[in-house]
Amino acid sequence: MTVWVSLAYLVAAVLFILGLIELSSPKSARRGNQVAAVGMVIALGATIPLLHFTAAGIIITIIGILIGVPIGAIGARQVKMTAIPQMVALFNGVGGGAAAVVAVSELLLKGSHPAFAVAFPSVFSIVIGSVSFAGSLIAFSKLQALLTGTPITYPGQQIVNGVLALAIVALSVYLIAVASTPIIFVPLLILGLVLGVAFVLPIGGADMPVVISMLNAFTGLAVAASGFVLGNFALIVAGTLVGASGTLLTKLMSDAMGRSLGNVLFGAFGTVTAGPAGATSAEGKSVRSGTPEDIGTLLAYSRKVIIVPGYGLAVAQGQHAVKELADELEKRGVEVEYAIHPVAGRMPGHMNVLLAEANVPYEQLKEMDQINDEFKSTDVALVVGANDVVNPAAENSPGSPIYGMPILNADQAKNIVFMKRSMRPGFAGIDNELLYDPKTVMLFGDAKDSLMKLVAAVKAA
Amino acid sequence: MTVWVSLAYLVAAVLFILGLIELSSPKSARRGNQVAAVGMVIALGATIPLLHFTAAGIIITIIGILIGVPIGAIGARQVKMTAIPQMVALFNGVGGGAAAVVAVSELLLKGSHPAFAVAFPSVFSIVIGSVSFAGSLIAFSKLQALLTGTPITYPGQQIVNGVLALAIVALSVYLIAVASTPIIFVPLLILGLVLGVAFVLPIGGADMPVVISMLNAFTGLAVAASGFVLGNFALIVAGTLVGASGTLLTKLMSDAMGRSLGNVLFGAFGTVTAGPAGATSAEGKSVRSGTPEDIGTLLAYSRKVIIVPGYGLAVAQGQHAVKELADELEKRGVEVEYAIHPVAGRMPGHMNVLLAEANVPYEQLKEMDQINDEFKSTDVALVVGANDVVNPAAENSPGSPIYGMPILNADQAKNIVFMKRSMRPGFAGIDNELLYDPKTVMLFGDAKDSLMKLVAAVKAA
Amino acid sequence: MNDSSLLNEFTIFVLAIFIGFEVISKVPTILHTPLMSGTNAIHGIILVGAILIAATARDPLQIVLGLVAVILATINVVGGFVVTDRMLEMFKGRQPAKPAEKTPPEKTAG
Amino acid sequence: MNDSSLLNEFTIFVLAIFIGFEVISKVPTILHTPLMSGTNAIHGIILVGAILIAATARDPLQIVLGLVAVILATINVVGGFVVTDRMLEMFKGRQPAKPAEKTPPEKTAG
Ligand SMILES: NC(=O)c1ccc[n+]([C@@H]2O[C@H](COP(=O)([O-])OP(=O)(O)OC[C@H]3O[C@@H](n4cnc5c(N)ncnc54)[C@H](OP(=O)(O)O)[C@@H]3O)[C@@H](O)[C@H]2O)c1
Ligand SMILES: NC(=O)c1ccc[n+]([C@@H]2O[C@H](COP(=O)([O-])OP(=O)(O)OC[C@H]3O[C@@H](n4cnc5c(N)ncnc54)[C@H](OP(=O)(O)O)[C@@H]3O)[C@@H](O)[C@H]2O)c1
């Protein structure tokens, strides 16, 4: 490796770091991604011209790139905004797969009895890379509804997974310490793939963003390990950055959901016990339901309305309708703000992305801490397709699965309107007593339909 | 260098980083310093046993350490809390000097025509290290009042300094590119010392904390350069950490004073134009002055008092008296809080350290942003030896040297009491119209004396 | 690979861990998803590794592995950056801190 | 010193810059002075360099330089850590987040 290539790698590494720094702040995030992309181009540009390609080598490199570019670009361009998590899972998975394949190839080249400094990172890269590949594909399938989103569990599953993991460790040790034929890496690869599948199957669909983030960190570490094998520090720096930042991000994401990472990964929690919960809870409690006209009038003559968007708004694709309603209310002099709970929706930032798409001005999007004190001076809290994020059980029933999660204080508003299709619970599968509050009015129906009706009602009011 | 030494250095580097991380949070800061100290012990412990000492070498190492330890320890133990900045300057200066000496020795060893990779960092280390050494000594002398704290200026000074800097650059280039005899490093060393002196002389005593922080970053960089010369990455990591963090810290410190770093270094601002300002400002404006008894009664029958401590409190060593007054008021049911401006006093955190010494509970110390809204519901703002930090000129006179600095809203309190010795201005040398506000009462005298009188008055009330 | 270069790589690895942690420790929730996606693109650097092994491919096994590695890694890089950009595109213009002052004030208050 | 080790050192240098900046970017004003003092102690690592050159001293010039370097660096290390510790000692116990609950509540409010 010449000095110039190394310097180019260093520049690339610096650009990755700068990109990551910019990515962590909303204002510069987009530029950050572009900065990292420039780093990537530099790293590739410095590598390619200096290689001594075989004839086959140059052909497969070109063909590979010609196949990969359109797949990546078209996939990324055409995916719907709501399907982004599964797309990220897919792109992450192929990265993990590539790392595993690179490690296998490198070991085949080195022949029998590679040095520990090569064997160890290679084995690591193969195992982690294949776990990430298979796990990401399962995550994709769950989110894309190719597989059921509910946890797939069976008795003794933890034990099976534990045995699988042990087998991998044993095989790895054997390989590094004893084995002489490289071909034994094939069973390792296969075991890694099986573990990846087995590991993600019992995790609920809505926990997938956390899992994807973790697999993303895995791929980063696999890439760093490949960097050790190849003695290439651009791979080491970039892979490690992703491994470290991804690990922390995974923790931050599960924290934001008010749960531990262990609970997300091994809790098999996330089963939406929809039917029964709805049935049992209705007993003995009365629910008040309103017509769009009633509620439209209530909104039109309010001084201040806070909109609490949730997962249902995304399902109903009602972001444009909600913006229209807000505009209509503002025309009449009503003050409108949006209260964004950190885990509203199904991926972090989901609501922000969704409402941004509908051009809701940024200033109106308020984070939980900013707005929680304002509910008490609010006339109407309009809860659109949200549920868990306003459930008082998080504050007052210690047994509840969401106990301890901070919630939006919608219950302090003078009136609460819930727009959802039924009395069914949300993601956490638990009943919400706020639905039965005397201050609450239900507006049943698909969020988008109901919103359109409200717009009409406000116009008429 | 064996693998084990390298690993020990890596551990030391990690401990330095962890220490720095902990140092940046009040809760863990002390442990952070200890963690870094452990790192230092490990780095030293790994280095010494493996060296092949000459007889002279072992003797001077032992003698050097035996001389250095008591000087450092006793100096650090005995210094008064208020004299800490100059002590830090001194310790920083000797570090810079050591870096320069190490670089000179190393170059003498390498003989004529050292490689660029040695010559360049050596020259850098010599220049920066000697600037830091001499500059720190001047900073020390100014703060210790061995030299006048006011800027020492003369016409054409900037030009002289510029020529000095240019001469150093020219000599450095000559050395690296042409010179063959190592002895030519002596003039370079001397020029560096002269520049250090010339550079710090025109800076006012009160700006010294910023200058010391900058020289601290300089020493860090000089140490990192020595690391390059010696091929020792413990020095590189530690020195660079200090260089980078010190640079940012320097910027943060001058930002907190509402000034640019350039203005601090080259503004020759800080001349306290005490006499004239006091004289001219009195014209035509009337000042109300009160007796300790009046003010004691006012305080005793208030509901809420906010104390605004400033540099004068440190000068008067009145921290215990102010705590006594606060205790006395609390006994009577008055709510007491302290409003700490980021640049109150003469070093960052000055007031916190001072009040901590008097065991003022941490919860009562409020940062500017936390407390600024509370002044309007406060009966008395008791301004003890502070001036600039409550000067409304920062908000409403664009020409003022402190214009743009955020201030404490003492002017919004129902009553304002100023405890100072005269009508003289504070550090920025500008008049404070709040002294002439109808709501303001002056209590002239040394802060500590006045505070003791107030305690007596409150007891009597 | 000798000891000293391994140690150097290990040092770089350790320092990069700190950078990764420190940078992310300040990130707001709203950026979790774009950040996940952006870092996902960065580990696409494995394409450099893929090309390194593909370049010297001679026998059929090497050719197949090389081709697979290059395809997968390319999808990772290209898809990763593009999808992140799309996601972040929607954040733009929403914080027109300075420009906003020129446009008529939002009707937020009324 | 060959190119590759210089490059490695340079890489480490660059990464350390990022760490230094990132760590400090979050520090509250109240810690500026202790932090200045704490980092001051860390650059006392020059003592390692001083000992390295002192160890092999033979002629009088080397002996003088080595002695001076060791003395200065030792003062830096020892003084730096001790003075920082003294300064930070006074911060302790002022944030008794948990313990405070056991002691009778402060009279802050009245
Ligand atoms: N943001 C993240 O990163 C993330 C990741 C994983 C998990 N989670 C979890 O997801 C939950 C988020 O809370 P949330 O309040 O946003 O959602 P939620 O608690 O899951 O509630 C969503 C509600 O929307 C309603 N809904 C669904 N489709 C609708 C439609 N077409 N029209 C109208 N309403 C519809 C559903 O009720 P009906 O069926 O009666 O209509 C449901 O009660 C939290 O428990 C959080 O921990 C978040
Ligand atoms: N904190 C830092 O890091 C730092 C560093 C460098 C510069 N500065 C600058 O220092 C200033 C700090 O503001 P400040 O309000 O704390 O101080 P200040 O504006 O300098 O005012 C201090 C006041 O205390 C009075 N005083 C002095 N000795 C006294 C005594 N023994 N008893 C009673 N009063 C006494 C003085 O008035 P009399 O003479 O009339 O008594 C003076 O007006 C800012 O301008 C800041 O930019 C701060």
Short mmCIF file of all heavy atoms in Angstrom, two decimals, chain C residues 43-88:
data_model
loop_
_atom_site.label_atom_id
_atom_site.label_comp_id
_atom_site.label_asym_id
_atom_site.label_seq_id
_atom_site.Cartn_x
_atom_site.Cartn_y
_atom_site.Cartn_z
N HIS C 43 -20.68 1.50 6.44
CA HIS C 43 -20.00 0.20 6.45
C HIS C 43 -19.98 -0.44 5.07
O HIS C 43 -19.40 -1.50 4.87
CB HIS C 43 -20.49 -0.72 7.57
CG HIS C 43 -21.91 -1.20 7.49
ND1 HIS C 43 -22.47 -1.74 6.37
CD2 HIS C 43 -22.88 -1.24 8.44
CE1 HIS C 43 -23.72 -2.10 6.63
NE2 HIS C 43 -24.00 -1.79 7.87
N GLY C 44 -20.60 0.24 4.11
CA GLY C 44 -20.46 -0.18 2.72
C GLY C 44 -19.02 -0.10 2.23
O GLY C 44 -18.69 -0.60 1.14
N ILE C 45 -18.13 0.49 3.03
CA ILE C 45 -16.70 0.51 2.72
C ILE C 45 -16.18 -0.90 2.49
O ILE C 45 -15.11 -1.09 1.92
CB ILE C 45 -15.92 1.19 3.88
CG1 ILE C 45 -14.43 1.36 3.55
CG2 ILE C 45 -16.04 0.41 5.16
CD1 ILE C 45 -14.11 2.59 2.83
N ILE C 46 -16.96 -1.90 2.91
CA ILE C 46 -16.56 -3.28 2.65
C ILE C 46 -16.39 -3.49 1.13
O ILE C 46 -15.72 -4.43 0.69
CB ILE C 46 -17.58 -4.27 3.25
CG1 ILE C 46 -17.09 -5.72 3.16
CG2 ILE C 46 -18.94 -4.16 2.58
CD1 ILE C 46 -15.88 -6.01 3.98
N LEU C 47 -16.96 -2.58 0.34
CA LEU C 47 -16.76 -2.67 -1.11
C LEU C 47 -15.27 -2.61 -1.45
O LEU C 47 -14.80 -3.27 -2.38
CB LEU C 47 -17.53 -1.54 -1.82
CG LEU C 47 -17.41 -1.49 -3.34
CD1 LEU C 47 -17.78 -2.82 -3.99
CD2 LEU C 47 -18.29 -0.38 -3.92
N VAL C 48 -14.52 -1.80 -0.70
CA VAL C 48 -13.06 -1.77 -0.93
C VAL C 48 -12.48 -3.17 -0.72
O VAL C 48 -11.70 -3.66 -1.54
CB VAL C 48 -12.38 -0.75 0.03
CG1 VAL C 48 -10.87 -0.95 0.03
CG2 VAL C 48 -12.73 0.66 -0.38
N GLY C 49 -12.90 -3.83 0.35
CA GLY C 49 -12.43 -5.19 0.61
C GLY C 49 -12.87 -6.14 -0.49
O GLY C 49 -12.10 -6.99 -0.94
N ALA C 50 -14.11 -5.98 -0.92
CA ALA C 50 -14.65 -6.87 -1.95
C ALA C 50 -13.84 -6.73 -3.24
O ALA C 50 -13.49 -7.73 -3.87
CB ALA C 50 -16.11 -6.55 -2.20
N ILE C 51 -13.51 -5.49 -3.59
CA ILE C 51 -12.74 -5.29 -4.82
C ILE C 51 -11.33 -5.85 -4.66
O ILE C 51 -10.78 -6.44 -5.59
CB ILE C 51 -12.73 -3.79 -5.20
CG1 ILE C 51 -14.14 -3.36 -5.61
CG2 ILE C 51 -11.76 -3.54 -6.33
CD1 ILE C 51 -14.27 -1.89 -5.94
N LEU C 52 -10.76 -5.68 -3.48
CA LEU C 52 -9.42 -6.22 -3.25
C LEU C 52 -9.39 -7.73 -3.50
O LEU C 52 -8.45 -8.24 -4.10
CB LEU C 52 -8.96 -5.94 -1.81
CG LEU C 52 -8.54 -4.51 -1.48
CD1 LEU C 52 -8.21 -4.37 0.01
CD2 LEU C 52 -7.32 -4.11 -2.30
N ILE C 53 -10.40 -8.44 -3.06
CA ILE C 53 -10.36 -9.90 -3.29
C ILE C 53 -10.80 -10.26 -4.71
O ILE C 53 -10.29 -11.20 -5.30
CB ILE C 53 -11.17 -10.71 -2.25
CG1 ILE C 53 -12.64 -10.34 -2.29
CG2 ILE C 53 -10.61 -10.57 -0.85
CD1 ILE C 53 -13.52 -11.52 -1.98
N ALA C 54 -11.73 -9.47 -5.25
CA ALA C 54 -12.19 -9.78 -6.61
C ALA C 54 -11.06 -9.57 -7.62
O ALA C 54 -10.92 -10.34 -8.58
CB ALA C 54 -13.38 -8.90 -6.97
N ALA C 55 -10.25 -8.55 -7.38
CA ALA C 55 -9.23 -8.15 -8.35
C ALA C 55 -8.32 -9.31 -8.73
O ALA C 55 -7.95 -9.47 -9.89
CB ALA C 55 -8.39 -7.00 -7.79
N THR C 56 -7.96 -10.12 -7.76
CA THR C 56 -6.97 -11.16 -8.02
C THR C 56 -7.60 -12.53 -8.26
O THR C 56 -6.90 -13.55 -8.23
CB THR C 56 -6.00 -11.25 -6.82
OG1 THR C 56 -6.79 -11.46 -5.65
CG2 THR C 56 -5.20 -9.99 -6.67
N ALA C 57 -8.91 -12.55 -8.47
CA ALA C 57 -9.59 -13.84 -8.64
C ALA C 57 -9.05 -14.61 -9.84
O ALA C 57 -8.84 -14.03 -10.91
CB ALA C 57 -11.09 -13.61 -8.78
N ARG C 58 -8.79 -15.89 -9.64
CA ARG C 58 -8.32 -16.74 -10.74
C ARG C 58 -9.22 -17.95 -10.94
O ARG C 58 -9.81 -18.12 -12.00
CB ARG C 58 -6.88 -17.22 -10.46
CG ARG C 58 -5.84 -16.24 -10.92
CD ARG C 58 -4.44 -16.66 -10.47
NE ARG C 58 -3.70 -15.49 -10.01
CZ ARG C 58 -3.16 -14.59 -10.82
NH1 ARG C 58 -3.24 -14.73 -12.11
NH2 ARG C 58 -2.52 -13.55 -10.34
N ASP C 59 -9.35 -18.78 -9.89
CA ASP C 59 -10.14 -20.00 -10.09
C ASP C 59 -11.64 -19.70 -9.92
O ASP C 59 -12.03 -18.66 -9.39
CB ASP C 59 -9.66 -21.11 -9.12
CG ASP C 59 -9.86 -20.74 -7.68
OD1 ASP C 59 -10.98 -20.32 -7.30
OD2 ASP C 59 -8.88 -20.84 -6.90
N PRO C 60 -12.49 -20.61 -10.37
CA PRO C 60 -13.94 -20.37 -10.37
C PRO C 60 -14.49 -20.00 -8.99
O PRO C 60 -15.31 -19.08 -8.90
CB PRO C 60 -14.51 -21.72 -10.82
CG PRO C 60 -13.42 -22.35 -11.61
CD PRO C 60 -12.13 -21.90 -10.98
N LEU C 61 -14.01 -20.68 -7.96
CA LEU C 61 -14.53 -20.37 -6.63
C LEU C 61 -14.26 -18.91 -6.27
O LEU C 61 -15.14 -18.18 -5.81
CB LEU C 61 -13.89 -21.30 -5.58
CG LEU C 61 -14.36 -21.09 -4.13
CD1 LEU C 61 -15.87 -21.23 -4.01
CD2 LEU C 61 -13.66 -22.07 -3.20
N GLN C 62 -13.02 -18.49 -6.49
CA GLN C 62 -12.67 -17.09 -6.22
C GLN C 62 -13.53 -16.15 -7.04
O GLN C 62 -13.94 -15.09 -6.58
CB GLN C 62 -11.20 -16.85 -6.54
CG GLN C 62 -10.24 -17.48 -5.52
CD GLN C 62 -8.80 -17.36 -5.96
OE1 GLN C 62 -8.51 -17.00 -7.11
NE2 GLN C 62 -7.88 -17.66 -5.05
N ILE C 63 -13.78 -16.52 -8.28
CA ILE C 63 -14.56 -15.64 -9.14
C ILE C 63 -15.98 -15.49 -8.61
O ILE C 63 -16.50 -14.37 -8.51
CB ILE C 63 -14.57 -16.19 -10.59
CG1 ILE C 63 -13.16 -16.00 -11.19
CG2 ILE C 63 -15.60 -15.47 -11.44
CD1 ILE C 63 -13.02 -16.52 -12.59
N VAL C 64 -16.56 -16.63 -8.23
CA VAL C 64 -17.92 -16.55 -7.72
C VAL C 64 -17.96 -15.71 -6.43
O VAL C 64 -18.77 -14.79 -6.28
CB VAL C 64 -18.48 -17.96 -7.44
CG1 VAL C 64 -19.81 -17.87 -6.68
CG2 VAL C 64 -18.66 -18.71 -8.74
N LEU C 65 -17.06 -16.02 -5.51
CA LEU C 65 -17.05 -15.28 -4.24
C LEU C 65 -16.83 -13.79 -4.50
O LEU C 65 -17.49 -12.93 -3.92
CB LEU C 65 -15.97 -15.83 -3.30
CG LEU C 65 -16.22 -17.22 -2.71
CD1 LEU C 65 -15.03 -17.67 -1.86
CD2 LEU C 65 -17.49 -17.24 -1.88
N GLY C 66 -15.86 -13.49 -5.36
CA GLY C 66 -15.56 -12.09 -5.65
C GLY C 66 -16.77 -11.37 -6.22
O GLY C 66 -17.11 -10.26 -5.80
N LEU C 67 -17.41 -12.01 -7.17
CA LEU C 67 -18.57 -11.39 -7.81
C LEU C 67 -19.68 -11.14 -6.77
O LEU C 67 -20.24 -10.04 -6.69
CB LEU C 67 -19.08 -12.28 -8.94
CG LEU C 67 -20.27 -11.70 -9.74
CD1 LEU C 67 -19.87 -10.40 -10.41
CD2 LEU C 67 -20.76 -12.71 -10.77
N VAL C 68 -19.95 -12.17 -5.97
CA VAL C 68 -20.99 -12.02 -4.96
C VAL C 68 -20.64 -10.87 -4.01
O VAL C 68 -21.48 -10.00 -3.72
CB VAL C 68 -21.17 -13.33 -4.16
CG1 VAL C 68 -22.07 -13.10 -2.95
CG2 VAL C 68 -21.76 -14.41 -5.06
N ALA C 69 -19.39 -10.85 -3.56
CA ALA C 69 -18.99 -9.81 -2.61
C ALA C 69 -19.16 -8.41 -3.22
O ALA C 69 -19.67 -7.50 -2.57
CB ALA C 69 -17.55 -10.03 -2.17
N VAL C 70 -18.72 -8.26 -4.47
CA VAL C 70 -18.81 -6.93 -5.09
C VAL C 70 -20.28 -6.52 -5.25
O VAL C 70 -20.65 -5.38 -4.94
CB VAL C 70 -18.08 -6.90 -6.45
CG1 VAL C 70 -18.35 -5.58 -7.17
CG2 VAL C 70 -16.59 -7.08 -6.25
N ILE C 71 -21.12 -7.45 -5.70
CA ILE C 71 -22.53 -7.09 -5.87
C ILE C 71 -23.15 -6.68 -4.53
O ILE C 71 -23.76 -5.60 -4.41
CB ILE C 71 -23.34 -8.28 -6.45
CG1 ILE C 71 -22.87 -8.58 -7.89
CG2 ILE C 71 -24.83 -7.96 -6.46
CD1 ILE C 71 -23.56 -9.78 -8.49
N LEU C 72 -22.98 -7.52 -3.53
CA LEU C 72 -23.60 -7.22 -2.23
C LEU C 72 -23.10 -5.88 -1.68
O LEU C 72 -23.88 -5.04 -1.23
CB LEU C 72 -23.30 -8.34 -1.23
CG LEU C 72 -23.92 -9.72 -1.53
CD1 LEU C 72 -23.58 -10.71 -0.43
CD2 LEU C 72 -25.43 -9.62 -1.69
N ALA C 73 -21.78 -5.69 -1.73
CA ALA C 73 -21.21 -4.47 -1.16
C ALA C 73 -21.68 -3.24 -1.93
O ALA C 73 -21.96 -2.19 -1.35
CB ALA C 73 -19.69 -4.56 -1.13
N THR C 74 -21.77 -3.36 -3.25
CA THR C 74 -22.22 -2.21 -4.05
C THR C 74 -23.65 -1.83 -3.68
O THR C 74 -23.98 -0.65 -3.53
CB THR C 74 -22.15 -2.54 -5.55
OG1 THR C 74 -20.83 -2.97 -5.87
CG2 THR C 74 -22.47 -1.31 -6.38
N ILE C 75 -24.49 -2.86 -3.52
CA ILE C 75 -25.87 -2.55 -3.12
C ILE C 75 -25.87 -1.81 -1.78
O ILE C 75 -26.57 -0.82 -1.59
CB ILE C 75 -26.70 -3.85 -3.00
CG1 ILE C 75 -26.81 -4.53 -4.36
CG2 ILE C 75 -28.09 -3.55 -2.45
CD1 ILE C 75 -27.56 -5.85 -4.33
N ASN C 76 -25.05 -2.29 -0.86
CA ASN C 76 -24.95 -1.65 0.46
C ASN C 76 -24.58 -0.17 0.33
O ASN C 76 -25.25 0.72 0.85
CB ASN C 76 -23.94 -2.41 1.31
CG ASN C 76 -23.82 -1.90 2.75
OD1 ASN C 76 -23.11 -2.47 3.55
ND2 ASN C 76 -24.51 -0.82 3.10
N VAL C 77 -23.51 0.09 -0.41
CA VAL C 77 -23.04 1.49 -0.54
C VAL C 77 -24.08 2.36 -1.21
O VAL C 77 -24.52 3.37 -0.66
CB VAL C 77 -21.74 1.58 -1.38
CG1 VAL C 77 -21.40 3.03 -1.63
CG2 VAL C 77 -20.61 0.88 -0.67
N VAL C 78 -24.47 1.97 -2.40
CA VAL C 78 -25.34 2.83 -3.19
C VAL C 78 -26.70 2.99 -2.52
O VAL C 78 -27.17 4.10 -2.28
CB VAL C 78 -25.50 2.26 -4.61
CG1 VAL C 78 -26.49 3.09 -5.42
CG2 VAL C 78 -24.15 2.23 -5.30
N GLY C 79 -27.31 1.85 -2.18
CA GLY C 79 -28.62 1.92 -1.53
C GLY C 79 -28.55 2.70 -0.23
O GLY C 79 -29.42 3.52 0.05
N GLY C 80 -27.52 2.46 0.54
CA GLY C 80 -27.40 3.11 1.84
C GLY C 80 -27.37 4.61 1.73
O GLY C 80 -28.12 5.32 2.42
N PHE C 81 -26.50 5.13 0.88
CA PHE C 81 -26.40 6.58 0.78
C PHE C 81 -27.65 7.19 0.18
O PHE C 81 -28.13 8.23 0.61
CB PHE C 81 -25.15 6.99 -0.02
CG PHE C 81 -23.89 6.92 0.79
CD1 PHE C 81 -22.88 6.03 0.47
CD2 PHE C 81 -23.71 7.74 1.89
CE1 PHE C 81 -21.72 5.95 1.23
CE2 PHE C 81 -22.55 7.67 2.65
CZ PHE C 81 -21.57 6.78 2.32
N VAL C 82 -28.19 6.54 -0.84
CA VAL C 82 -29.35 7.12 -1.51
C VAL C 82 -30.56 7.14 -0.59
O VAL C 82 -31.26 8.15 -0.48
CB VAL C 82 -29.66 6.35 -2.82
CG1 VAL C 82 -30.96 6.87 -3.43
CG2 VAL C 82 -28.51 6.51 -3.80
N VAL C 83 -30.79 6.04 0.11
CA VAL C 83 -31.99 6.01 0.95
C VAL C 83 -31.86 6.99 2.11
O VAL C 83 -32.82 7.65 2.51
CB VAL C 83 -32.29 4.57 1.42
CG1 VAL C 83 -31.53 4.20 2.66
CG2 VAL C 83 -33.78 4.39 1.66
N THR C 84 -30.64 7.14 2.62
CA THR C 84 -30.44 8.12 3.70
C THR C 84 -30.69 9.53 3.19
O THR C 84 -31.33 10.35 3.85
CB THR C 84 -29.01 8.01 4.25
OG1 THR C 84 -28.73 6.65 4.54
CG2 THR C 84 -28.86 8.82 5.52
N ASP C 85 -30.18 9.77 2.00
CA ASP C 85 -30.37 11.11 1.43
C ASP C 85 -31.85 11.40 1.24
O ASP C 85 -32.33 12.49 1.55
CB ASP C 85 -29.63 11.21 0.09
CG ASP C 85 -29.58 12.64 -0.39
OD1 ASP C 85 -28.95 13.46 0.30
OD2 ASP C 85 -30.20 12.96 -1.43
N ARG C 86 -32.58 10.40 0.74
CA ARG C 86 -34.02 10.62 0.55
C ARG C 86 -34.70 10.94 1.87
O ARG C 86 -35.55 11.82 1.96
CB ARG C 86 -34.65 9.33 0.01
CG ARG C 86 -34.87 9.37 -1.47
CD ARG C 86 -35.79 8.24 -1.88
NE ARG C 86 -37.18 8.48 -1.55
CZ ARG C 86 -38.11 7.52 -1.57
NH1 ARG C 86 -37.77 6.28 -1.88
NH2 ARG C 86 -39.35 7.80 -1.27
N MET C 87 -34.32 10.20 2.88
CA MET C 87 -34.93 10.41 4.19
C MET C 87 -34.63 11.82 4.70
O MET C 87 -35.50 12.53 5.18
CB MET C 87 -34.32 9.38 5.15
CG MET C 87 -35.23 8.91 6.23
SD MET C 87 -34.37 7.75 7.30
CE MET C 87 -33.79 6.52 6.17
N LEU C 88 -33.38 12.23 4.54
CA LEU C 88 -32.96 13.51 5.10
C LEU C 88 -33.43 14.68 4.25
O LEU C 88 -33.53 15.81 4.73
CB LEU C 88 -31.45 13.54 5.27
CG LEU C 88 -30.95 12.60 6.37
CD1 LEU C 88 -29.44 12.49 6.33
CD2 LEU C 88 -31.41 13.10 7.73
#
